[in-house]
Every structure is written in structure tokens, then in C-alpha cells.
């Protein structure tokens, strides 16, 4: 799920950036530092939309760095248990398949793939229904439901299922070609 | 002792008979057992016959014996043993127990030992000193008295602990002696002793006990050892030579106490068979008859149909079973085909139909077998999934629950449930009710039900509950085979969870009872012994691999075979050692790949994979690819089929126009390419040669080609790497090995080796010796601090290319000794013409002079090289012709072996190299001086070939092990009365004690010889305690 939230961060800026473009530099650094990171609480920070407020800088003794408290708004993406996501399959193996929804990696175990889908090994490992009508392979797009998340310091890992109504392949570029 | 009536007796007799029958039946399948069992039963009969002689007297006794109406042959038969077993039977007034007869008495004896002790203590003296054995009446009276008394004691059962304590044997009581007897004859021996006691009045033993579980020994109670010996004399089952061992008082109770096995057998419990061909097999209890101590179990039959058919047709059945038939479901059709008659019968008790074949009952392919409770074990049965899977017949998952609940419960630990656990009711009216644990009181668990409309909390017996998990829960396995692993639940099948492990991303099947909810992420065990997950290890047959999984007792190792992933399971002992050397390899473009560099595989089965290099060994890289799911993400590839990411690809091209020999491509590239972003390309490689020569030793022997002329290595040819006192370390030409030989054992092969020497000069190929040392540097400074000084960068090169990379030019040329390849050397080493000219006129001493030549010629480097070589100058040219330059050594202790490794450091701190001796040896204490870190004390564990040392931190040497170059190590100078080790001179390696210091000399008392020596403090190192 995406959130538009306001976060705060203390930015340290090197004295060489002090000057007329200090603000721009600070924002550039903020974007560089923050976008793409992941915290367990807020999930992945996708993009900074607005910098609300830059507080007064405090010069650090000894280093000359200046610390600015920065308040910014950003779009954060955090997967939740039970959430339905659309994701792209990145890897298929006999234990299941991995899919990615933006920065989040989701693993769908073969226990969570409908029973009528069988693993087919080979050049392009895939899961195929017995009649061959549905095929999950690399680059397939699937809709899945997250049943569990594991939040590490820098990563969120999810386990998903497609063993439910309206879940499964939604578009398969590989099959079309 | 109360006794049942005659009728009872008969019935009981029948039962016993039945039991025997059954045993006999068992024996059909198990010939091995027959001997023992039959002998026992025979023995009992024998005893009876023997007893007959005494029957007369006992008959009388029996008849008058109290008011009970015991009678009959059986009684008589037992009388003898009964009598002697008095203690055992005394206080057990429970009929059932009695009935078990001789099978049981010992256990009973144990169970009630304290009471019994009391009885014994009180009464023994009188009974043991019968004035007249013939006086049956008297004896009988005593016996009777004893019964009465002891049963009285038993009734006062609610003895407090203190009273119980008082019953324990003390020093005043008779002792227990352990006597060795013939194996399998324990009972017989005990009974013989009893008989003997009856027969002879002078025996002074009090009791004899044979324990079921103890083979080869019986216990005899007596005051003195002599009494025991006396009693044992003449018994054929006790060897006269056998020693009699005293059981310590403290252990006496243990001998006879029996763990009160509350065998809580119930239906559907999993058990294991203890005996017969089914030994170890899993069985399921179908029915329990507590009265008869029998259970009906369901087994997967191990029946040899052919043998069965033969038997039924009356053909001869070979007596000896050579093999145990594999477990297989019984198939009626198959049996019919073999003309085995299969009857279908209804069991009169259960009303179920069974197929009967030769007295065996089958149903659904399973064998239903009636066995004694004793022949099965029900404790700690942890059926594996495989076994359970087998038991679940296809199409039989009506209950869907593979693992029987009762078994799960049996294995529960205390404190199984905790507040907050999600549970589900599995038995009773409220089955399938979910809830959360609120409170646990012993066996009672209070839960808060999930359903509304129920009381706030409900109390359940622990056994009615099972833990409950939902898919998506993150759990940790807390017991069982997978203990320690964590993962996410993906599927719940009854009470079995399927978990995706966090680390391996593989499925694990576990019992719900074995896991707890947890947010922790671990792999489980990651270490056995010295080896840890992801270590590079050397295996038995010189193969090597990376540990990719640690199992309960073995490792999975991905072997270093680049073509295909080869995983082997190895035991701890199959691992020879951990490979910790930090070496480098060259990738496809001859870039130097070192550990942690990111490389991409460009050919082979793993083409396209990319990741940081975790280990390098023999030109094989182990790459860790996060996205690679197999083998814990490890990929094994040849260094040559990989490309360093971000490295230069132009190296091949460089080689073309390069005037230097292609073999130096690596050399050069290492210089450039190792750190293309870090440093500008450096000047011509002249430095290596120059430095190499300059830094090289002061002993004219070093780097000479020599031949070993005596000793075990006689005939080998090699190159001197280092001279330490009377010992010389020689790198053998024929083997990749450095050996230490005595100096007098080697002969200079000047004449033979001229071509070598020439070539050596040309290109500074003396360096093979340095490189072996230099690697230390790159490991710390240049790699971590690439920007430091050009010097560092220089330093690493020789190491990469010469000594360590298998393709190293130096070694190549040197090993095959092909002078042709060296032809270009002058070009390569343009800055050292003086050296060459030197050497020409004085082949023998050429190199001794080189330092001089070098310092003159190597002007380009002089500035950086500083004064390092200069200290040598006075000495070396002075003795150009002395091959055995022992006189050097005292003058420049340590200087010589150290310098090569030290060159870089010399510039910064020229003093260290020149003045410190660092013939590091294992076990000595050192200070590790790392730039930017405090100095640490450590213990050298191992000195590596290149001069660097593996140092265990802390003075006790029990902390982590680091590898440090000699330049970072400083020997801890011993103080007075410290234990020391001598690092150099003729006494190298000898330990001693520093008993005094006199200026720069230390007075040392040697450990071995107690000699007192005066040695230079420089060569003494403090020994780790």
C-alpha cells in the first residue's frame, strides 16, 4: 500500500555546500539519501514529493558539518499482510516463484500455487496448468495476495499466494510472443 | 502375602503359558532370541526338578505357611526362588505384580527399595545366622515374622522425606558387591547363589540380585568381600578370577531403583519395537491390555512370503535368516499366488475382520501383532516424516493428521504453552475451537476463546490443545531436527506446518508443536567445531569447497568443481582444515580478483551470474549471488571464466603492444588494474626487480639454487628461501613445498643453476621469495587504504603475480627452468644494467653484490626506498664470496628474513625491519600494531608460508584469529621469570624460562635440558601461557 506521509530527518551537510544553493543541495542530498531506502516501519520510500520545512542548521563541533532537521513529504510503499498486489515474476524454480512489485520481493511457494499447476523444468522453468492454458514463467505478471511479511532493517520480504479467487496470471508477455 | 485361590492360580498359569507360547512364536522369527529365552524357561523347569529333592521339606513348610491356601506344583517350583527373593516380594501385596513371577521380581525389588531396606536391616541378622538350617519351623517363623513386619512397614507408607532418608543405606549396612559372571547367565547365577544359600548355612551373603538391564554382572549383598568370594566359589558361571567390586554407598540405591515408568500407552501412540526383526520399527498401538501387559500394534510387515510359503507347505525352512526382509505391505493376492492360505476371520473382541496367515493377523496390508508391553518402547518416539508417510496408506488420509496427536503430546516439553500462544482445541466437545493462551497452571491451560458467546476463559487440559499457526506467521523451530531454523508458514496441514526457511528459501516440514512464533531470523546451527557456514574447507581427497549448509552432524559442501555444482555431505572428521589464505586469482582479462570483488561469470553453466567473491582457491572462485537460490547462493566458477565488474577489459589489448613478455602482463596489469580508479598508472615495473633485489637477503645463500645432499630430502633440488641459523628453508623445485633442512645438508648448485641465476638477475626473479611475504601488505594497507602511497601499490604486485597466482610468471619460469623464457629480461629491467654487468664477471658472488649494484643503479627508486638498503651495504660487499655467511646473521639479526616483507614499512619506520627479530613461531605472544588501532596482544597460532601469522587475539589466545603480516607484529619481550621461546639460533624453537636479564642478554634456563644459556634478548619471545 502506498502512503503519503511526512517524515523528518536530520541531514548533515558538508560546509563546502554552504552558499546560495544550500537549499537545493540539501534537497538533492535528501533525495539521494532517502529515496529507495526501506525502513521496517514505513516501508520503502519511493519518492519525495515536497520538503515542508528545513529547520535551523547546527554546526557540529570539530567537523564543521551542519545538521539540518528536514521535514519532508514522501510516498512510501509498505506491503501488508492480506494485501493484493500485482507483481512481475522474476524467477521460477521448483520451490515456487519470486516476483517483484517495485522494490518488494515476494516469494510464492509451490504450496501456495493452485494444485493444478505443475512445475515444468527446462530452459524456461514455469508453472503450467494441466491443460496448458495458464503458464507462469519469468516476466509473467501475476496478481497475488501477501500472506506474510518479514521486515529486516533494509529489506521487506513477502510471501504471497495465488491460491485464491481472482489471483494468478494477469498478463503474460512471454506467452504472447 | 496374599494369594489368589486355586482357580486363579490356574488361570494365571495359563497366562504364563500363553506368554511363553507367544514368545515361542516370536522366536520363530527370531532365532537369536531363542537360545536365551528357552534357556530361561528350561532353566525354570530345571530348577523345579532340582527343587523336587527339597520338596519334602518345603512342602511341609508350604502347607503350614500361614493361612493362605497356596498349593500346587507351581508354588513349589517357585518356593525356592520365592524364598530367596523374599525381599523383592515382601512388601508387594499386589497380586498382579506377583503374578509376573520371576519375570518381575527384580523390578519389584527395586521399586520398593527403601522399605525393603528397612525390612532387611531389621531382620537380616536373625535370618542370616540360622542356628540350625534344619530347623524349618524356626525358619518359617522368621520368615513369617518378616512378612508381617515388612508389610506393616509398608502400610506406614506416608513416610516423610526425612524418614525415607533414614532408610537409605549407611556405613553400618551390608555392602553391595558387583560380581562378574558369564554373560546371559545373570539370573541363573543369582538363583544359584540363592540355592546355595539355602543349601549351606555358612554363607554370609544377604542377597543376590540380577538386573535385567545389566549384562555380565550380578549384585551380591554382603558384609565383606570375603563372604562374597566364598559364596561365589565353585559357581560355574562366576569366574574364580573375577574381581568383586564394591558399590559405593551413594550408588547403592541407584543400583536397585527403577525409574517408575508410567507407561502411558494409549491407542494411536507411536512406539518402537525393541526386539526381533522389527527392532527399531515404528508401530502404532491399536489396543492396550493393561491387565495382561500386552498391546496390539500395527506394523508394516517384514515378511518373506517365499519363506512363509515354504514353511506352510512343510518344506524345510532354512534356520538361519541371513537377511531381514524389507518392510512391505502385505498383499493378499500376492500371497494367494504363492499358494499361501489366507483366511478371513473376525476378531472376537473387536469385531473387525482380519486376514489370517499362519497365525499372523493382517489388515489393510498392516500386520497386527500382539506383543508384550516390555518389548516396545514408547518413550521419546519421534517418528520421522518418512515413517509416518509410509504408515499413511494411500487414500487413507481421512483424519488428515499424519502425526498422531498422542505422540506429539508425549514429546512435549514443560512450559510448552506460553501466554499469548494461539491454540486450537483438538479433543473433546469444543474441538476446533481456537483461542489464545491466557494462563498456564501445570497441566491446565486457560484459554481465551476466539468465539464470542463463550465464557471469558476456558480451562483445558494441556493435552486437549495444540498450537495453531496461520500461513504467513513467522516462526522459529524450537525442537526436532530442524531446531533453530526460522521461516514463514506457507501451509498448515493438520498439525504439520510447511515453512519457507528464511535463509535457504526451502520448505521445511515441522510439527506445529515444535515451533514458536518469532520475529527472529536465523538459520539454525551455523557451526560445528571449527567450521562455520560459508567457510572454505579442505576435504579429504584434496578437494575443497564451501560449506553451504550445516546440518545436525554434517556439512553440505559445494565442491570447487567449476563445471557443475557438486554438493557433498561431509562429516566433521572428513574435513581436513579450513582454508583461510587470502589469495587472489586472475579473471578472464587478467585482472586481479580478490575476495569481495564483484565478478560476473561470463561462461560456463552459471553464465550471467554476478556477485561478490567469497573465496578463492586454486584459481576457483566461489561467488555469492544473492539471487541464486541453490547452494545457499554460492556459485563455483573458474576465475578465468569470470570478469571483474568495473575492472578493465583492455588488458588483453595492452599485452599486444607491450614490449614486455606476456607473462608480465599480469604483473603490469596488477599494477594498473587492480586499482584503476584508485591510482594513476605507475612507472615501469623496474621497481619490482630493484626492490626485490634490494630487499633480499644478506645471506648469500638465500635464493640460491641448491641441492640437498643428505637427510631425508636428499636429492631434491630447490631454492633457498630463508636462512635461520643452522636451518635453511628450501622451496623444492619438484614440489610446491617449502621444507626446512639443515644447512650442512645442502650443496650449492651454482654451476648447474647458472641459467637460472642469470635469468634471476635479469628480471629480479629473486623475488619469488619476497612475494611469499609481501602478500601481507596488500591485505591490509593497499586494499583498504588504496590512496596511501605509491609504495603500497608496488608492494602488492609481486605477490599477486609471482607467488600466488598459479600462472605467476616467476614461478613458471622458475619451475620449468626454461631459460628461453627469460630472454627478454634485460628489456624488462632496463634500469639495472649494472647488476647484470656485475654478475657476469663474478657468477658466484653476483648476487651478494647486487644490493650494492642496486643501490647505485636504482636511482629512480632511491628516493622512496630511502635508506633501507644502506645498512646492508657495508656488510654485503664486504663478504661477497662467502656462501656460508653465518657471520652475517649475528650482525643483522632479523634483518634478512624480514626485509622483504617490510620494505614498505621500512620507509616509514626503518627501524622496525632492521632491528627486530621476527622469526615468528607459534605460541609466542605478540603485539599487533595496526595503524589506527590500539595494539592488541595475541598469540601466534600459525606462521604462514609468506611470513604472516595467524594470531589469536588476547593473551590467552582464545579470541578471534586474525592474520597479520610480520610488519604488524611485534614480539612481546619477556620479562624476568617469564616463559620464553627461542626464535633464532641453534636453539630455535626451544622453550625455557628467563631467569635473568643482563643488559641485552637474557639468561635462560631451558625447559628440556635445564641448561642455562645466555642469549640475546632479541631472539627471545614470551611464550603464551
Amino acid at each position: 500500500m502506498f502512503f503519503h506521509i511526512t517524515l523528518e530527518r536530520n541531514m548533515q551537510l558538508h560546509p563546502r555546500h554552504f552558499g546560495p544553493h544550500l537549499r537545493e543541495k540539501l534537497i538533492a542530498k535528501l533525495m539521494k539519501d532517502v529515496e529507495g531506502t526501506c525502513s521496517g516501519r514505513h516501508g520503502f520510500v519511493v519518492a519525495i514529493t515536497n520538503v515542508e520545512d528545513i529547520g535551523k542548521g547546527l554546526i557540529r563541533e570539530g567537523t564543521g558539518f551542519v545538521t539540518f532537521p528536514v521535514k519532508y513529504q514522501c510516498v512510501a510503499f509498505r506491503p501488508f499482510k492480506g494485501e493484493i498486489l500485482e507483481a512481475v515474476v522474476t524467477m521460477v524454480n521448483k520451490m515456487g516463484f519470486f516476483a517483484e512489485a517495485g522494490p518488494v520481493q515476494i516469494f510464492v511457494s509451490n504450496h501456495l500455487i493452485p494444485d493444478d499447476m505443475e512445475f515444468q523444468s527446462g530452459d524456461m522453468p514455469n508453472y503450467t496448468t494441466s491443460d496448458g492454458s495458464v503458464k507462469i514463467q519469468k516476466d509473467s505478471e501475476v496478481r497475488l495476495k501477501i500472506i506474510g511479511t518479514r521486515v529486516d532493517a533494509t529489506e521487506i520480504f513477502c510471501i504471497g499466494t495465488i491460491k485464491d479467487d481472482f489471483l494468478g496470471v494477469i498478463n503474460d508477455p512471454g506467452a504472447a510472443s | 502375602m496374599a494369594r489368589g485361590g486355586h482357580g486363579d492360580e490356574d488361570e494365571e498359569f495359563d497366562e504364563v503359558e500363553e506368554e511363553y507360547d507367544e514368545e515361542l512364536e516370536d522366536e520363530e522369527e527370531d532365532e537369536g532370541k531363542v537360545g536365551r529365552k528357552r534357556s530361561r524357561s528350561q532353566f525354570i523347569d530345571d530348577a523345579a526338578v532340582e527343587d523336587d529333592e527339597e520338596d519334602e521339606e518345603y512342602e511341609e513348610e508350604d502347607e503350614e505357611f500361614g493361612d493362605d491356601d497356596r498349593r500346587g506344583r507351581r508354588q513349589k517350583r517357585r518356593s525356592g526362588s520365592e524364598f530367596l527373593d523374599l525381599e523383592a516380594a515382601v512388601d508387594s501385596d499386589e497380586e498382579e505384580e506377583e503374578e509376573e513371577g520371576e519375570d518381575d521380581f527384580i523390578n519389584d525389588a527395586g521399586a520398593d527399595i527403601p522399605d525393603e531396606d528397612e525390612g532387611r536391616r531389621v531382620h537380616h541378622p536373625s535370618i542370616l545366622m540360622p542356628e540350625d538350617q534344619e530347623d524349618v519351623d524356626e525358619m518359617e517363623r522368621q520368615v513369617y515374622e518378616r512378612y508381617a513386619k515388612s508389610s506393616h512397614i509398608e502400610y506406614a507408607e506416608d513416610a516423610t522425606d526425612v524418614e525415607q532418608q533414614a532408610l537409605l543405606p549407611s556405613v553400618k549396612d551390608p555392602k553391595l558387591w558387583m560380581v562378574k559372571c558369564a554373560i546371559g547367565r545373570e539370573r541363573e547365577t543369582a538363583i544359584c547363589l540363592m540355592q546355595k544359600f539355602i543349601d549351606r548355612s555358612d554363607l554370609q551373603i544377604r542377597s543376590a540380585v540380577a538386573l535385567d538391564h545389566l549384562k555380565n554382572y550380578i549384585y551380591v549383598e554382603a558384609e565383606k568381600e570375603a563372604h562374597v568370594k566364598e559364596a561365589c566359589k565353585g559357581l560355574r558361571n562366576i569366574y574364580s578370577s573375577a574381581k568383586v567390586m564394591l558399590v559405593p554407598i551413594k550408588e547403592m540405591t541407584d543400583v536397585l531403583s527403577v525409574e517408575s515408568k508410567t507407561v502411558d500407552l494409549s491407542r494411536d501412540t507411536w512406539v518402537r519395537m525393541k526386539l526381533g526383526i522389527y527392532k527399531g520399527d515404528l508401530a502404532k498401538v491399536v489396543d492396550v491390555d493393561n491387565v495382561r501387559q500386552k498391546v496390539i500394534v500395527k506394523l508394516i510387515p517384514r515378511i518373506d512370503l517365499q519363506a512363509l510359503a515354504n514353511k506352510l507347505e512343510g518344506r524345510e525352512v532354512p534356520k538361519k535368516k541371513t537377511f531381514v526382509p524389507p518392510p512391505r505391505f502385505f498383499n493378499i493376492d500376492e500371497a494367494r499366488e504363492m499358494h499361501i492360505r489366507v483366511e478371513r476371520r473376525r476378531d472376537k473382541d473387536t469385531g473387525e475382520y482380519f486376514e489370517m496367515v499362519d497365525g499372523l493377523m493382517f489388515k489393510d496390508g498392516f500386520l497386527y501383532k500382539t506383543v508384550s508391553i516390555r518389548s516396545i518402547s514408547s518413550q521419546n518416539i519421534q517418528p520421522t516424516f518418512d515413517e509416518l508417510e509410509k504408515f499413511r496408506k494411500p487414500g487413507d488420509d481421512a483424519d488428515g493428521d499424519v502425526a498422531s496427536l498422542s505422540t506429539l503430546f508425549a514429546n512435549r516439553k514443560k512450559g510448552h504453552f506460553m501466554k499469548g500462544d494461539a491454540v486450537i482445541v483438538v479433543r473433546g466437545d469444543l474441538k476446533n475451537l481456537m483461542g489464545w493462551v491466557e494462563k498456564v497452571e501445570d497441566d491446565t491451560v486457560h484459554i481465551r476463546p476466539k468465539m464470542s458467546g463463550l465464557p471469558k476463559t476456558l480451562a483445558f487440559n494441556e493435552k486437549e490443545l495444540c498450537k495453531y499457526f496461520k500461513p504467513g506467521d513467522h516462526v522459529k523451530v524450537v525442537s526436532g531436527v530442524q531446531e533453530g531454523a526460522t521461516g514463514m508458514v506457507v501451509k498448515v496441514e493438520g498439525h504439520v506446518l510447511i515453512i519457507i526457511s528464511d535463509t535457504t528459501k526451502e520448505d521445511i516440514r515441522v510439527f506445529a508443536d515444535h515451533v514458536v512464533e518469532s520475529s527472529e531470523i536465523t538459520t539454525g546451527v551455523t557451526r560445528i567445531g571449527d567450521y562455520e557456514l560459508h567457510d572454505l574447507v579442505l576435504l579429504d581427497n584434496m578437494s575443497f569447497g564451501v560449506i553451504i549448509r550445516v546440518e545436525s552432524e554434517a556439512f553440505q559442501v559445494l565442491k570447487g568443481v567449476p563445471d557443475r555444482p557438486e554438493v557433498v555431505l561431509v562429516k566433521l572428521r572428513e574435513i581436513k582444515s579450513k582454508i583461510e589464505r587470502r589469495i587472489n586469482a586472475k579473471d578472464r582479462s587478467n585482472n586481479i580478483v580478490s575476495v569481495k570483488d564483484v565478478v560476473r561469470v561470463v561462461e560456463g553453466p552459471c553464465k550471467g551470474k554476478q556477485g561478490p567473491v567469497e573465496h578463492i582457491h586454486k584459481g576457483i572462485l566461489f561467488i555469492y549471488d544473492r539471487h541464486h537460490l541453490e547452494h545457499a547462493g554460492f556459485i563455483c566458477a573458474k576465475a578465468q571464466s569470470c570478469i571483474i565488474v568495473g575492472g578493465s577489459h583492455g588488458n588483453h589489448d595492452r599485452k599486444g603492444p607491450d614490449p614486455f613478455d606476456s607473462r608480465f602482463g599480469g604483473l603490469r596489469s596488477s599494477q594498473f588494474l587492480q586499482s584503476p580508479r584508485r591510482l594513476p598508472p605507475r612507472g615501469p615495473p623496474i621497481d619490482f626487480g630493484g626492490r626485490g633485489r634490494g630487499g633480499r637477503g644478506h645471506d648469500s645463500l638465500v635464493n640460491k639454487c641448491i641441492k640437498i645432499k643428505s637427510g631425508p630430502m636428499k636429492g631434491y633440488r630447490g631454492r633457498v628461501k630463508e636462512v635461520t641459523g643452522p636451518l635453511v628453508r628450501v622451496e623444492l623445485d619438484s614440489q610446491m613445498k617449502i621444507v626446512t633442512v639443515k644447512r650442512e645438508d645442502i650443496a650449492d648448485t651454482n654451476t648447474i643453476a647458472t641459467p637460472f641465476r642469470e635469468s634471476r638477475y635479469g628480471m629480479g626473479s629473486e623475488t619469488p621469495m619476497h612475494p611469499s611475504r609481501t602478500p601481507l601488505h596488500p591485505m591490509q594497507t593497499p586494499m583498504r587504504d588504496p590512496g596511501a602511497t605509491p609504495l603500497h601499490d608496488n608492494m602488492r604486485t609481486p605477490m599477486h603475480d609471482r607467488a600466488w597466482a598459479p600462472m605467476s610468471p616467476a614461478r613458471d619460469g622458475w619451475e620449468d627452468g626454461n631459460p628461453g623464457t627469460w630472454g627478454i629480461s634485460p628489456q624488462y629491467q632496463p634500469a639495472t644494467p649494472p647488476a647484470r654487468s656485475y654478475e657476469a664477471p663474478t657468477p658466484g658472488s653476483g648476487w651478494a653484490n647486487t644490493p650494492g649494484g642496486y643501490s647505485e643503479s636504482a636511482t629512480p627508486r632511491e628516493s622512496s626506498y630511502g635508506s633501507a638498503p644502506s645498512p646492508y651495504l657495508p656488510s654485503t660487499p664486504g663478504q661477497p664470496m662467502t656462501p656460508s655467511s653465518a657471520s652475517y646473521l649475528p650482525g643483522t639479526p632479523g634483518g634478512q628474513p624480514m626485509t622483504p616483507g617490510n620494505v614498505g614499512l621500512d620507509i616509514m619506520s626503518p627501524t622496525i625491519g632492521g632491528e627486530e627479530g621476527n622469526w615468528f613461531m607459534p605460541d609466542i605472544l605478540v603485539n599487533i600494531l595496526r595503524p589506527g588501532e590500539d595494539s592488541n596482544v595475541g598469540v601466534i597460532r600459525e606462521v604462514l608460508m609468506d611470513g604472516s601469522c595467524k594470531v589469536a587475539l588476547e593473551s590467552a589466545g582464545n579470541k578471534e584469529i586474525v592474520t597479520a603480516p610480520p610488519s604488524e607484529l611485534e614480539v612481546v619481550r619477556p620479562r624476568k621469570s617469564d616463559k620464553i621461546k627461542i626464535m633464532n639460533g641453534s636453539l630455535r624453537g626451544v622453550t625455557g624460562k628467563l631467569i635473568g636479564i643482563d643488559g641485552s642478554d637474557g639468561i635462560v634456563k631451558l625447559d628440556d635440558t635445564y641448561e642455562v644459556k645466555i642469549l640475546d634478548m632479541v631472539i627471545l619471545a614470551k611464550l603464551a601461557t
Side-chain angles (χ1 to χ4, degrees), chain B residues 63-245:
Chain B
E63 243 139 34
E64 294 168 17
F65 196 83
D67 315 317
D68 48 26
D69 49 357
R70 285 185 293 164
R71 220 172 291 303
R73 200 179 150 64
R74 179 175 155 79
Q75 193 48 49
K76 276 182 233 154
R77 197 212 299 170
R78 298 177 98 202
S79 61
S81 54
E82 195 95 293
F83 173 69
L84 280 172
D85 197 36
L86 277 180
E87 286 118 20
V90 172
D91 36 24
S92 122
D93 60 343
E94 218 175 283
E95 193 74 17
E96 303 308 336
E97 298 275 325
E98 274 295 90
E99 308 297 29
E100 271 302 313
E102 67 285 339
D103 229 22
D104 244 355
F105 67 78
I106 282 157
N107 287 351
D108 293 348
D112 299 312
I113 179 146
D115 291 339
E116 197 184 292
D117 254 25
E118 174 65 0
R120 193 188 297 152
R121 202 176 319 139
V122 174
H123 300 286
H124 267 198
S126 59
I127 201 160
L128 280 168
M129 311 286 186
E131 294 104 80
D132 182 8
Q133 211 238 327
E134 300 302 315
D135 188 353
V136 177
D137 285 350
E138 170 65 7
M139 197 158 171
E140 187 195 319
R141 193 187 53 75
Q142 285 175 356
V143 168
Y144 184 63
E145 203 173 72
R146 203 163 150 201
Y147 269 120
K149 187 68 187 275
S150 58
S151 49
H152 168 72
I153 284 167
E154 203 199 356
Y155 292 137
E157 203 180 75
D158 290 319
T160 61
D161 280 355
V162 179
E163 282 166 349
Q164 285 286 319
Q165 286 292 323
L167 299 176
L168 288 172
S170 70
V171 275
K172 290 174 198 152
D173 295 309
K175 326 255 178 317
L176 208 51
W177 307 85
M178 205 155 118
V179 185
K180 200 166 183 173
C181 69
I183 204 156
R185 305 271 169 169
E186 299 85 11
R187 281 157 178 264
E188 191 184 331
T189 314
I191 292 174
C192 282
L193 274 173
M194 293 171 183
Q195 188 61 50
K196 199 169 177 182
F197 182 80
I198 296 163
D199 294 345
R200 287 176 50 183
S201 56
D202 57 333
L203 280 191
Q204 305 215 35
I205 58 168
R206 310 267 165 120
S207 68
V209 181
L211 296 183
D212 268 346
H213 57 84
L214 187 74
K215 297 258 177 291
N216 216 192
Y217 288 100
I218 60 163
Y219 289 102
V220 177
E221 190 189 4
E223 297 279 1
K224 297 203 170 89
E225 188 177 347
H227 298 162
V228 181
K229 289 235 160 132
E230 181 63 27
C232 296
K233 203 184 279 174
L235 284 187
R236 70 191 153 108
N237 290 329
I238 297 176
Y239 311 115
S240 51
S241 59
K243 249 178 80 182
V244 175
M245 280 167 285

Side-chain angles (χ1 to χ4, degrees), chain B residues 402-518:
Chain B
V402 246
S404 156
L405 291 172
S406 47
T407 307
L408 291 178
F409 296 139
N411 295 320
R412 265 187 192 166
K413 290 173 189 160
K414 258 215 150 151
H416 178 75
F417 289 108
M418 303 237 278
K419 193 184 171 198
D421 282 354
V423 290
I424 188 163
V425 182
V426 291
R427 279 182 194 172
D429 298 341
L430 291 168
K431 191 171 169 179
N432 290 336
L433 175 76
M434 285 185 245
W436 294 274
V437 174
E438 279 288 305
K439 199 162 80 177
V440 183
E441 286 172 342
D442 293 332
D443 283 352
T444 316
V445 181
H446 297 266
I447 71 162
R448 179 161 51 89
K450 196 177 174 184
M451 286 252 278
S452 54
L454 285 169
K456 208 173 164 202
T457 57
L458 294 166
F460 287 93
N461 188 305
E462 190 196 56
K463 305 210 161 181
E464 292 172 338
L465 297 174
C466 188
K467 284 197 194 171
Y468 178 71
F469 295 93
K470 292 188 297 301
D473 288 345
H474 195 260
V475 294
K476 180 178 182 189
V477 185
V478 290
S479 58
V481 192
Q482 303 284 352
E483 183 169 345
T486 59
M488 220 179 271
V489 178
V490 292
K491 199 173 183 188
V492 182
E493 287 178 349
H495 302 286
V496 176
L497 306 179
I498 297 173
I499 294 172
I500 296 287
S501 160
D502 284 335
T503 38
T504 58
K505 302 265 191 312
E506 277 171 16
D507 299 1
I508 310 173
R509 289 163 66 102
V510 286
F511 292 111
D513 260 6
H514 289 175
V515 302
V516 291
E517 210 164 341
S518 149

Side-chain angles (χ1 to χ4, degrees), chain B residues 99 584 850 867:
Chain B
E99 308 297 29
N584 297 2
T850 348
S867 59

Side-chain angles (χ1 to χ4, degrees), chain A residues 81 91 93-96 98 100 105 107-112 115 147-152 155 157-160 163, chain B residues 470-474 488-491 493 498 500-507 509 517 519 521 609 626-629:
Chain A
K81 208 185 243 193
M91 183 169 31
N93 62 25
K94 66 173 193 309
M95 288 177 297
F98 285 85
E100 275 176 11
Q105 203 184 27
F107 178 64
V108 179
S109 161
N110 59 1
H111 299 288
L112 300 169
D115 293 330
I147 59 161
T149 59
R150 192 183 79 218
V151 178
D152 300 346
E155 195 194 26
F157 181 76
C158 301
I159 288 191
K163 209 178 186 176
Chain B
K470 292 188 297 301
D473 288 345
H474 195 260
M488 220 179 271
V489 178
V490 292
K491 199 173 183 188
E493 287 178 349
I498 297 173
I500 296 287
S501 160
D502 284 335
T503 38
T504 58
K505 302 265 191 312
E506 277 171 16
D507 299 1
R509 289 163 66 102
E517 210 164 341
S519 56
I521 295 162
K609 305 269 182 191
R626 204 165 58 90
H627 300 290
H628 188 70
L629 288 175

Side-chain angles (χ1 to χ4, degrees), chain B residues 647-690:
Chain B
S648 160
H649 298 255
N651 208 37
H652 277 297
D653 310 335
R654 290 198 64 84
K655 258 157 71 178
D658 203 325
F660 302 129
D661 187 296
S662 64
R663 283 174 293 116
F664 292 102
L667 228 165
R668 291 175 45 82
S669 68
S670 66
Q671 198 184 9
F672 292 119
L673 301 169
Q674 179 59 27
S675 47
R677 304 152 298 232
R678 301 169 188 159
L679 285 170
R682 313 209 40 71
I686 181 174
D687 301 11
F688 313 124

